[in-house]
Amino acid sequence: DAGVIQSPRHEVTEMGQEVTLRCKPISGHNSLFWYRQTMMRGLELLIYFNNNVPIDDSGMPEDRFSAKMPNASFSTLKIQPSEPRDSAVYFCASSLALLSRNSYNEQFFGPGTRLTVL
Amino acid sequence: AQSVTQLGSHVSVSEGALVLLRCNYSSSVPPYLFWYVQYPNQGLQLLLKYTSAATLVKGINGFEAEFKKSETSFHLTKPSAHMSDAAEYFCAVIQTGANNLFFGTGTRLTVIP
């Protein structure tokens, strides 16, 4: 299995530009997560999907951020317009969906996209 | 609300010495707890997890962690550090029923030859 695939691995853009980050989850996984890692805030969950439906987007910083999952094998995280404070590493992770409230399924992380907004 | 606190943002040990990375959790119900490792410019890899079975959990690369309810701790240990253990380590807790992880601030481990 190729694991979680993210593209691009590195993105450098100028303030005000639109940025689109892409993620392909592991085949058969039906939960997908977007995380952001910064020095100031550490690792934080932005949004997660179950069966392509957004379940919790309370971590999305503001309206400039949007995420979609049009099908089970693809998700995007878009920032429009981008700002220097958005510079971070963005991770995508996927897992099987929970079978019950007391269960857990391991999340598998992609290599991340390092975003720099100048 | 569930959260974890990692004590010490940087830990340095000599090669061959004991590794001890500290994590304390805050949870109103028995949590699921995890340790992840992040090597430079890579994603996170699961080292081990506690899911209310055995309190002493063994993971990959010789790491283990012990769940201590009385101390609300889940410290990560390895008897003998290797140069390849140099990385950042994250403790994390699951939000029950939601499957999303809450991470600690991370501890960067340096191994001195």
Side-chain angles (χ1 to χ4, degrees):
Chain A
D1 197 324
V4 176
I5 298 173
Q6 291 187 247
S7 64
R9 291 294 308 275
H10 301 273
E11 176 81 25
V12 181
T13 190
E14 293 187 345
M15 183 174 62
Q17 297 297 307
E18 177 179 296
V19 175
T20 299
L21 310 182
R22 297 172 175 80
C23 175
K24 177 178 170 56
I26 291 173
S27 178
H29 283 186
N30 40 15
S31 292
L32 184 139
F33 308 80
W34 282 100
Y35 292 89
R36 179 172 66 175
Q37 184 178 33
T38 62
M39 290 293 292
M40 292 298 294
R41 300 174 65 88
L43 271 161
E44 51 184 349
L45 178 71
L46 299 178
I47 186 171
Y48 80 94
F49 297 83
N50 274 352
N51 296 315
N52 312 338
V53 176
I55 302 300
D56 183 355
D57 65 353
S58 59
M60 296 285 265
E62 47 197 274
D63 293 345
R64 297 185 298 106
F65 285 69
S66 62
K68 294 182 179 179
M69 193 164 186
N71 57 61
S73 59
F74 184 66
S75 177
T76 59
L77 178 67
K78 185 176 293 186
I79 308 173
Q80 166 62 21
S82 59
E83 296 182 2
R85 60 188 168 132
D86 301 331
S87 298
V89 181
Y90 292 81
F91 289 103
C92 177
S94 71
S95 76
L96 295 170
L98 287 180
L99 297 178
S100 72
R101 288 185 58 85
N102 294 321
S103 67
Y104 168 74
N105 288 314
E106 180 180 347
Q107 294 182 24
F108 293 83
F109 283 76
T113 295
R114 182 173 297 276
L115 173 65
T116 302
V117 183
L118 303 174
Chain B
Q2 296 168 336
S3 65
V4 289
T5 302
Q6 291 184 244
L7 300 176
S9 58
H10 291 86
V11 170
S12 293
V13 300
S14 298
E15 190 175 15
L18 171 71
V19 176
L20 171 60
L21 305 182
R22 300 179 186 274
C23 174
N24 288 88
Y25 68 90
S26 171
S27 174
S28 57
V29 297
Y32 292 163
L33 292 161
F34 310 85
W35 277 100
Y36 281 83
V37 61
Q38 184 180 27
Y39 298 103
N41 300 314
Q42 295 188 27
L44 281 78
Q45 180 181 5
L46 182 66
L47 270 180
L48 49 81
K49 62 185 177 186
Y50 167 76
T51 57
S52 73
T55 56
L56 182 62
V57 181
K58 294 187 183 297
I60 62 173
N61 301 339
F63 284 93
E64 62 183 36
E66 185 172 7
F67 175 76
K68 291 187 177 180
K69 186 176 180 180
S70 61
E71 299 177 7
T72 61
S73 68
F74 190 58
H75 301 331
L76 181 70
T77 61
K78 182 173 180 177
S80 177
H82 191 272
M83 295 298 295
S84 61
D85 295 327
E88 187 142 18
Y89 293 80
F90 293 91
C91 184
V93 64
I94 203 87
Q95 178 174 321
T96 305
N99 208 29
N100 48 311
L101 290 161
F102 290 90
F103 287 91
T105 51
T107 298
R108 183 170 299 277
L109 176 66
T110 300
V111 182
I112 304 166

